[in-house]
Amino acid sequence: MSGTACVCQEIECREIEIDYNQLDKIIRDDYGGNKETMIMMMQAIQRVYRFLPEAALKYLSQVIDVPLTKIYEVATFYASFSLEPKGKHILTICTGTACHLRGSGGMVRHIAERMGIEPGKTTQDLKLTLETVNCVGACAVAPVAVMDEKYYPKATIATLNDFMDRLDAE
Amino acid sequence: MRVLNIILNGKAVTAREGQTILELAQENGVFIPTLCHSPALEPAAMCRLCTVQVIEGGRAKFVTACNFPLRRDAEIRTDSPEVRHGRKLIIELLMARCPSSPELQRLAVEYEADLTRFSSLNDDCVVCGLCTRACEAVTGKTLSLAGRGTAIHVSTAFAKISDFCIGCGACVQICPVQKISMEDVDGERHILLHGKIVSQVKLPRCKSCGKYFGPVIDLEKVMDRMGEHLIPPPNADTCPECSRHNLAVKLGKRYFEQYGVFREEGQADAG
Amino acid sequence: MIEATQTALTPSEVTKIMSTEALAEYRQKLQAQYDPNAPMIYVCCGTGCQAAGSVDVVEKFREILVGSAWDGKVVPMIKPTGCHGFCSRGPLVIIEPQDIFYQRVTVNDVQEIVEKTVLNNELIKRLQYKSAGAKESITKASEIPYYAKQTRLVLKNIGRVNPTEIGDSIIRNGYAALAKALTQMTPQQVIDEVSSSKLRGRGGAGFPTGLKWESCAKQEGLRYVICNADEGDPGAFMDRSLLEGDPHSVLEGMAICAYAVGSHRGYMYVRAEYPLAVKTLTTAIRQAEALGLLGKNIMGTGFDFEVTISTGAGAFICGESSALMASLEGKVGRPRPKYIRSVEKGFRDSPSNLNNVETYANIPSIIANGGNWYKSYGTERSSGTKVFALTGNVFNIGLVEVPMGISLMEIVFGIGGGVPNKRALKGVQTGGPSGGCIPIPHKIPDINVGYGKLAEVGSIMGSGGMIVMDEDTCMVEVARYFVNFLVEESCGQCTPCREGLTRMKEILDRITQGDGREGDIELLEEIGKFTNNFSLCGLGTSAANPVLSTIRYFREEYEAHIRDKKCPAGVCKKLFHYEIDPDICTGCGLCKSKCPVKAISGEKKKVHVIDQSLCMKCMECYKNCKFRSVKIM
Ligand SMILES: Cc1cc2nc3c(=O)[nH]c(=O)nc-3n(C[C@H](O)[C@H](O)[C@H](O)COP(=O)(O)O)c2cc1C
Ligand code: SF4
Ligand code: FES
Ligand code: FES
């Protein structure tokens, strides 16, 4: 079973293939279809698509019998969920207290300006998503940047510029 | 049930254990302003307007009257300067969001709110959560409070026209600032949230009189949860007026068959 | 984290432990296999050290140790461990039995360490620790002031056990306290022991743990034991270190609690940002279940306790108890407005005992050694020790565990090594976004750290975040930072918190932008008192603390921003500029070379000047000038 869902963004139309067998595996096998684990199911779905496609949530709603509006409520409440497609690369800059005191705010502004996106948003070409996080627990080596799940301690604007240069070259 | 001795604004009164402060105040003719409260729904204590001071076991604290259950003898101050000052701030903050609400305007006068301190947000929703709770009580499938923090807002799933709304209109009736409206156009009921259509429901046509009428809802569930606070909705394929008429005729006929007298419609159930 | 190593301590081949005596036998067997004189290399793989490259260091050690010929000699063991706490010096390597401490070890040092130190007992000077200003470097970990001045009760295993090998924990008396509780004590005796220790909750509010257990035990029907591992304070990471470095102490503490309150189901709510903790915990639970130390019929005593891990999805508010339980049920994490405690009606509307990670981790030693032993540390009203996450402008950043009642100055200077870059100490922020700034040493000379004392000066213990701030910290900006954090993290359901905080942020934004107005300070105080009294949950009722405490102690700084349009600390960019003091400038040219926008001009040995139209106030010249000739004007 497989279908196509269209997630229309203002700019262009992005077609997302939803693999319902895979969804079934997550919802029924991994989490036993238990409503209480809905947040973790949604995280698993987001790991697959790098965001939460509407069609996948509709399916989730049917299988676990939770109204779609309640799923939407949860998806918009928790910061780690995204209803918009995320970029191929994800740059997360820690803005926890220790990192903030060591200038992580300036790094966020720098990348935001350079890439022309607000924190939390993705570039038009879906290459990069810029995110902020409140402490990743590595405060001793603040400021911390996390690029595609790898930690960069004592990050500087120069470290980040290196990434961006590499992305631009891709 | 245990009876509690309460001093309410300096006056000795008695309360039932478990009763809320709001209920006690109402019984004793003390007015406490509320915004997010409806006796038909679970209290959510979101607006905080009903905050009062309670002194229990020597400790004074601020609590919301709409959901604070009395469990011990206590002293309650519903109108102390601290309470009034906090309410004034709530009104000022909410007026900055929703200046057009008559209810807020009235409170603003009573609490001498200074409406110049906070710049206008013109959001027009006071986030009382009444509509979402009313929806929850009926079907729980249409409205919810999406987002968090300042971004919290009433929404349907994906902010799209809901596939699940049955058009009962509970949200329209309950909104204290009248920002949800409803119109029936060409056999379709539209519900508008801040002027934007969030629901389009085909209305059923009455098989007796041919008029469109309000939607069918799971009556039992609604009556169960909202009790006498909701006007009874109609059933399947007949509009409320015709159902009442038909019922009356039916009962009347039975009465006639039994007693040989046919009474007027309105008195049909008197027997 | 890192897979189990080749040691004999993996439980795979072991059958279930069916009695408490069998546990003791198993421990003896493991201890017999363990030669205290055999070389052991501990490599810290906590988040800080991992970020600095410690995983590669471990791999390199393994490669070299496997590849070498050891003719007759004992092959050294390599042990990846949880966070040692001294994160700013990572990656850390400790070599036993000599207790040799090496810091900032890279892959390139590994070969040399094996050849010189492990094989020939020879020290490598450049990797050794030296205190600031000291001539001699220090050889042993236990002699480094940072460690020597701590009292490690709850962190005792961290850095010594491989968290993915349950045998490591068992050797160090893991699950012995659970065995004792299950076979030698009644649930009431367990509660009494915890009560007598006077342990207070480490998650923030400091509620007496024994009292909480007592009221949970009184409830009827099914009940739950829940561990709050949401660690939301941005800048605190002790719970993370415990979960990743010594998961079995936390699990054992939960199991003891379950026995005391009569529960068989445990939940662990871990924040989404801690994937490593989830992985480590999953392994730990699996291993404990395989050995029969968790799950059904624990150690053959008939007592069942199962633990399930659940994760958050990025919401600070889910650390609040009722929001956490809603989130555990798969719902939105909005605090519930009920005036009812979760020990009566919590998760699934059943009685639920919620404690913090560190609270649970303290339990096994309290049961093993007795409440009186625990109480002998700390003070009358704040017993035991507390782990603090020491960060900010301080030399030694990391986790420190100290007895309650210790002087704050001792933490900052004695353990933390003081403030770097010759800057003066301005204050210490404790308690995170719900806490306050303590203006040591100028306005308050020093305080003894305890629940009561911190509250007296307008702060809180909180979960143990401790941020040292130097003279270059703008207190208005700090307040703005925390309020901004809370505006983003507020659930938004109640008016005071949602609207009040937004307005406080609006006011603080304009003050730091130079648009502050007369009356703004008073308005902040007015809104702050209001949100503290009228909000629905603990987030709202403590949200104004960072603002109120900075106004209380640093009011003149607010006034300087508003009246003189000046930021005395040189942080708020619109409210200061840098000038080079011609009387001090030696014309060394360092600032000129550091300035990224070439705003500084001047010839060598001549006074330099800053072109104000180019300067972007990045602080580089200010930070780098050796003579402090760059002044904030
Ligand atoms: C907004 C808010 C956030 C909280 N975050 C945490 C947290 O991250 N970790 C924690 O253990 N307790 C947190 N708490 C405290 C918990 O509500 C609760 O008091 C605690 O987990 C109880 O455990 P204890 O008695 O062992 O401290 C928070 C409280 C509030 C109001
Ligand atoms: S105080 Fe803040 S976080 Fe707590 S319920 Fe109110 S809005 Fe939500
Ligand atoms: S504040 Fe950035 S890692 Fe903790
Ligand atoms: S009426 Fe009580 S909080 Fe709104």
Side-chain angles (χ1 to χ4, degrees):
Chain A
M1 199 174 24
S2 158
T4 310
C6 175
V7 188
C8 279
Q9 303 283 301
E10 307 89 280
I11 309 136
E12 56 191 287
C13 190
R14 296 181 179 118
E15 301 249 308
I16 301 277
E17 279 285 319
I18 303 285
D19 178 349
Y20 290 99
N21 286 326
Q22 189 182 20
L23 279 186
D24 256 341
K25 199 193 151 292
I26 293 173
I27 301 168
R28 293 185 218 263
D29 302 352
D30 298 354
Y31 293 100
N34 176 0
K35 282 179 206 193
E36 282 184 349
T37 61
M38 184 173 93
I39 293 170
M40 286 187 279
M41 291 175 188
M42 288 165 72
Q43 280 168 331
I45 295 173
Q46 178 156 304
R47 272 194 293 276
V48 175
Y49 299 99
R50 285 191 280 143
F51 80 111
L52 294 171
E54 190 177 331
L57 295 188
K58 276 194 175 144
Y59 187 70
L60 175 69
S61 160
Q62 283 164 15
V63 179
I64 63 172
D65 193 24
V66 170
L68 189 60
T69 182
K70 294 284 158 204
I71 299 183
Y72 181 73
E73 185 178 33
V74 167
T76 54
F77 181 86
Y78 293 98
S80 70
F81 291 133
S82 171
L83 292 170
E84 286 169 25
K86 286 199 190 185
K88 187 166 158 227
H89 300 282
I90 297 178
L91 171 64
T92 310
I93 299 176
C94 177
T95 50
T97 319
C99 294
H100 172 76
L101 286 177
R102 297 199 175 198
S104 67
M107 301 201 303
V108 176
R109 274 195 304 278
H110 174 80
I111 295 300
E113 268 169 37
R114 175 165 170 176
M115 304 308 284
I117 43 169
E118 289 288 300
K121 297 281 178 213
T122 305
T123 51
Q124 293 257 314
D125 59 3
L126 289 186
K127 225 179 215 178
L128 179 81
T129 300
L130 172 63
E131 293 187 336
T132 59
V133 61
N134 288 312
C135 193
V136 293
C139 318
V141 288
V144 184
V146 186
M147 182 74 174
D148 294 336
E149 293 182 8
K150 186 172 169 6
Y151 285 63
Y152 289 84
K154 298 191 181 157
T156 60
I157 289 190
T159 334
L160 299 183
N161 273 339
D162 281 353
F163 285 140
M164 297 308 120
D165 293 345
R166 256 185 282 149
L167 283 197
D168 287 346
E170 245 177 39
Chain B
M1 185 176 302
R2 213 152 69 90
V3 173
L4 305 173
N5 295 308
I6 305 287
I7 301 185
L8 182 63
N9 293 343
K11 216 178 96 198
V13 298
T14 54
R16 296 181 301 279
E17 189 181 0
Q19 192 176 23
T20 66
I21 294 179
L22 187 63
E23 286 162 353
L24 178 75
Q26 280 164 349
E27 281 174 16
N28 288 280
V30 171
F31 177 74
I32 299 174
T34 62
L35 204 58
C36 69
H37 184 69
S38 158
L41 300 168
E42 273 278 300
M46 286 162 67
C47 74
R48 317 301 288 169
L49 196 62
C50 68
T51 301
V52 298
Q53 273 176 307
V54 169
I55 301 148
E56 259 186 354
R59 289 227 323 252
K61 57 186 175 187
F62 291 90
V63 302
T64 39
C66 66
N67 70 333
F68 185 85
L70 289 162
R71 286 173 171 173
R72 294 198 264 170
D73 292 351
E75 186 189 337
I76 301 167
R77 295 182 192 154
T78 68
D79 217 30
S80 66
E82 293 89 340
V83 165
R84 287 192 68 89
H85 181 254
R87 286 193 196 141
K88 170 174 169 289
L89 263 166
I90 293 181
I91 295 158
E92 288 175 6
L93 291 165
L94 290 180
M95 276 295 275
R97 282 183 80 104
C98 195
S100 63
S101 154
E103 173 66 4
L104 277 177
Q105 285 167 355
R106 195 190 61 70
L107 285 166
V109 175
E110 191 194 326
Y111 282 87
E112 294 168 13
D114 175 352
L115 302 180
T116 60
R117 299 210 288 179
F118 303 115
S119 57
S120 166
L121 290 177
N122 267 327
D123 183 286
D124 268 0
C125 169
V126 288
V127 201
C128 66
L130 279 170
C131 55
T132 52
R133 273 177 288 147
C135 184
E136 173 84 49
V138 181
T139 64
K141 286 187 175 171
T142 307
L143 295 179
S144 62
L145 282 171
R148 74 161 183 229
T150 27
I152 194 171
H153 64 286
V154 176
S155 179
T156 49
F158 295 91
K160 290 184 177 169
I161 292 178
S162 169
D163 293 339
F164 304 99
C165 177
I166 54 159
C168 75
C171 53
V172 180
Q173 283 199 12
I174 212 161
C175 176
V177 292
Q178 291 99 41
K179 291 301 162 193
I180 312 182
S181 56
M182 182 161 82
E183 52 194 27
D184 292 350
V185 197
D186 299 335
E188 221 176 43
R189 171 162 291 181
H190 295 178
I191 293 187
L192 294 89
L193 188 63
H194 297 274
K196 193 181 153 224
I197 297 185
V198 292
S199 146
Q200 284 173 318
V201 184
K202 273 243 171 311
L203 291 175
R205 203 174 201 142
C206 177
K207 74 167 189 214
S208 300
C209 67
K211 276 193 290 201
Y212 292 109
F213 66 95
V216 187
I217 26 186
D218 186 347
L219 210 128
E220 224 166 85
K221 189 177 164 205
V222 178
M223 293 304 287
D224 198 36
R225 299 184 69 167
M226 303 199 57
E228 83 267 29
H229 299 281
L230 200 82
I231 312 152
N235 56 18
D237 46 10
T238 322
C239 76
E241 272 160 48
C242 293
S243 337
R244 235 175 290 136
H245 179 86
N246 295 349
L247 178 73
V249 171
K250 207 162 87 195
L251 289 174
K253 268 198 190 135
R254 203 185 301 154
Y255 197 85
F256 179 74
E257 280 158 18
Q258 252 177 332
Y259 302 102
V261 213
F262 189 82
R263 295 245 196 130
E264 297 273 303
E265 257 180 37
Q267 297 166 332
D269 51 0
Chain C
M1 167 192 245
I2 285 168
E3 333 72 63
T5 42
Q6 69 285 5
T7 63
L9 311 182
T10 40
S12 51
E13 73 278 15
V14 180
T15 46
K16 282 206 175 188
I17 291 170
M18 286 311 286
S19 67
T20 54
E21 293 78 23
L23 175 68
E25 276 166 32
Y26 184 54
R27 174 173 302 114
Q28 279 161 11
K29 192 177 122 206
L30 290 176
Q31 279 166 346
Q33 285 170 11
Y34 172 78
D35 174 3
N37 295 316
M40 179 80 90
I41 304 163
Y42 295 96
V43 182
C44 177
C45 286
T47 312
C49 286
Q50 277 206 14
S54 65
V55 174
D56 295 340
V57 171
V58 173
E59 286 313 314
K60 188 77 187 167
F61 267 116
R62 286 210 177 124
E63 193 186 307
I64 293 178
L65 295 181
V66 171
S68 309
W70 294 97
D71 17 76
K73 284 194 191 140
V74 197
V75 184
M77 281 220 282
I78 159 97
K79 204 166 272 304
T81 71
C83 176
H84 293 203
F86 206 4
C87 315
S88 50
R89 304 290 170 135
L92 305 176
V93 171
I94 293 177
I95 297 154
E96 295 287 11
Q98 306 96 316
D99 194 26
I100 295 167
F101 178 89
Y102 286 150
Q103 60 178 17
R104 299 197 174 123
V105 175
T106 67
V107 184
N108 302 330
D109 300 320
V110 173
Q111 184 84 34
E112 196 179 343
I113 294 178
V114 172
E115 279 167 13
K116 290 196 176 149
T117 315
V118 179
L119 289 175
N120 295 310
N121 230 337
E122 199 181 305
L123 294 173
I124 304 168
K125 268 253 158 350
R126 68 165 194 286
L127 297 175
Q128 284 186 303
Y129 174 84
K130 224 190 252 180
S131 298
K135 280 205 196 71
E136 285 299 301
S137 41
I138 299 173
T139 306
K140 291 184 180 223
S142 53
E143 283 166 3
I144 293 172
Y146 181 79
Y147 291 113
K149 294 193 175 182
Q150 295 191 39
T151 306
R152 294 199 159 198
L153 306 183
V154 71
L155 297 180
K156 64 180 188 304
N157 287 338
I158 295 190
R160 285 294 185 264
V161 300
N162 179 345
T164 59
E165 287 181 28
I166 192 171
D168 274 20
S169 293
I170 293 176
I171 279 198
R172 296 172 71 91
N173 289 325
Y175 294 95
L178 176 62
K180 176 176 173 188
L182 290 179
T183 53
Q184 297 166 34
M185 296 168 88
T186 63
Q188 188 57 44
Q189 281 171 328
V190 173
I191 292 175
D192 291 344
E193 200 66 72
V194 173
S195 294
S196 83
S197 77
K198 293 197 172 172
L199 173 67
R200 295 171 66 170
R202 300 299 192 228
F207 192 83
T209 306
L211 203 58
K212 191 184 277 185
W213 291 18
E214 181 105 47
S215 32
C216 188
K218 279 202 197 107
Q219 306 299 319
E220 288 181 5
L222 192 66
R223 63 209 81 171
Y224 297 97
V225 164
I226 305 173
C227 177
N228 190 340
D230 196 48
E231 192 154 66
D233 175 357
F237 51 102
M238 47 289 213
D239 293 349
R240 169 168 207 165
S241 290
L242 278 165
L243 298 172
E244 291 174 8
D246 187 17
H248 291 291
S249 290
V250 184
L251 292 170
E252 187 182 355
M254 285 177 75
I256 294 171
C257 172
Y259 173 68
V261 304
S263 163
H264 303 288
R265 290 293 284 131
Y267 282 85
M268 197 134 202
Y269 186 83
V270 190
R271 113 185 242 259
E273 292 83 347
Y274 288 178
L276 193 62
V278 172
K279 222 170 140 186
T280 313
L281 274 171
T282 311
T283 310
I285 293 173
R286 214 181 47 226
Q287 294 184 351
E289 281 176 351
L291 281 181
L293 300 173
L294 281 181
K296 292 250 177 304
N297 191 16
I298 293 176
M299 293 182 250
T301 59
F303 176 68
D304 304 336
F305 183 58
E306 279 168 41
V307 183
T308 308
I309 301 173
S310 184
T311 66
F316 171 68
I317 188 62
C318 287
E320 195 274 343
S321 55
S322 67
L324 184 146
M325 310 217 178
S327 188
L328 265 186
E329 290 168 12
K331 300 182 186 145
V332 189
R334 282 193 205 108
R336 294 173 184 172
K338 298 220 169 92
Y339 287 100
I340 190 156
R341 294 169 310 149
S342 46
V343 285
E344 289 170 41
K345 232 174 173 200
F347 179 52
R348 295 177 182 160
D349 274 342
S350 296
S352 308
N353 185 85
L354 177 73
N355 279 122
N356 164 263
V357 172
E358 190 183 333
T359 312
Y360 284 124
N362 268 305
I363 299 298
S365 16
I366 290 175
I367 296 304
N369 305 318
N372 283 329
W373 163 83
Y374 190 76
K375 210 165 52 184
S376 69
Y377 295 92
T379 66
E380 174 62 27
R381 289 194 50 219
S382 309
S383 71
T385 59
K386 175 83 193 88
V387 185
F388 291 99
L390 192 62
T391 60
N393 307 117
V394 60
F395 262 110
N396 302 329
I397 292 176
L399 292 182
V400 301
E401 182 177 350
V402 289
M404 293 277 194
I406 188 179
S407 120
L408 187 53
M409 289 293 271
E410 173 66 7
I411 298 183
V412 175
F413 289 93
I415 299 172
V419 181
N421 306 326
K422 303 205 178 76
R423 295 295 193 259
L425 176 64
K426 185 169 184 175
V428 175
Q429 211 278 351
T430 68
S434 313
C437 286
I438 304 159
I440 59 162
H442 297 299
K443 298 189 177 158
I444 293 176
D446 195 0
I447 67 159
N448 297 323
V449 179
Y451 290 97
K453 269 284 184 306
L454 285 171
E456 234 170 71
V457 297
S459 188
I460 59 164
M461 176 80 68
S463 58
M466 192 173 263
I467 298 145
V468 180
M469 296 175 172
D470 70 7
E471 56 184 296
D472 295 337
T473 314
C474 169
M475 291 303 174
V476 187
E477 216 294 313
V478 167
R480 196 202 64 81
Y481 168 78
F482 282 119
V483 170
N484 184 47
F485 171 83
L486 292 167
V487 165
E488 282 174 14
E489 295 296 339
S490 155
C491 85
Q493 65 177 327
C494 77
T495 317
C497 175
R498 181 187 66 243
E499 307 295 330
L501 284 181
T502 311
R503 298 307 179 160
M504 286 173 94
K505 175 175 179 289
E506 194 177 292
I507 297 165
L508 289 163
D509 276 347
R510 73 172 174 243
I511 296 178
T512 52
Q513 295 283 323
D515 301 323
R517 305 174 196 157
E518 252 348 285
D520 272 354
I521 303 178
E522 292 72 21
L523 187 53
L524 282 173
E525 287 176 315
E526 185 185 339
I527 304 174
K529 280 184 202 130
F530 157 70
T531 51
N532 275 5
N533 285 332
F534 276 62
S535 297
L536 190 154
C537 83
L539 186 149
T541 56
S542 62
N545 290 353
V547 180
L548 296 178
S549 85
T550 48
I551 293 181
R552 174 167 164 192
Y553 295 117
F554 302 95
R555 198 180 186 102
E556 69 285 353
E557 227 172 287
Y558 280 82
E559 285 166 352
H561 281 72
I562 296 170
R563 288 191 197 141
D564 316 332
K565 308 291 174 206
K566 285 280 167 232
C567 174
V571 173
C572 305
K573 292 222 176 355
K574 290 196 177 156
L575 300 181
F576 77 97
H577 65 271
Y578 290 120
E579 271 174 31
I580 295 174
D581 187 338
D583 296 340
I584 307 176
C585 179
T586 63
C588 73
L590 184 61
C591 58
K592 191 173 150 187
S593 69
K594 289 275 177 191
C595 177
V597 290
K598 304 205 165 33
I600 303 180
S601 58
E603 287 168 35
K604 268 255 172 266
K605 302 247 166 71
K606 294 237 169 78
V607 171
H608 283 46
V609 278
I610 302 175
D611 181 344
Q612 300 299 338
S613 65
L614 291 176
C615 173
M616 55 180 237
K617 296 169 185 168
C618 70
M619 247 185 141
E620 281 299 316
C621 55
Y622 179 79
K623 262 193 327 214
N624 280 295
C625 180
K626 298 267 182 293
F627 311 96
R628 300 199 68 175
S629 78
V630 181
K631 299 287 179 207
I632 294 161
M633 306 297 275

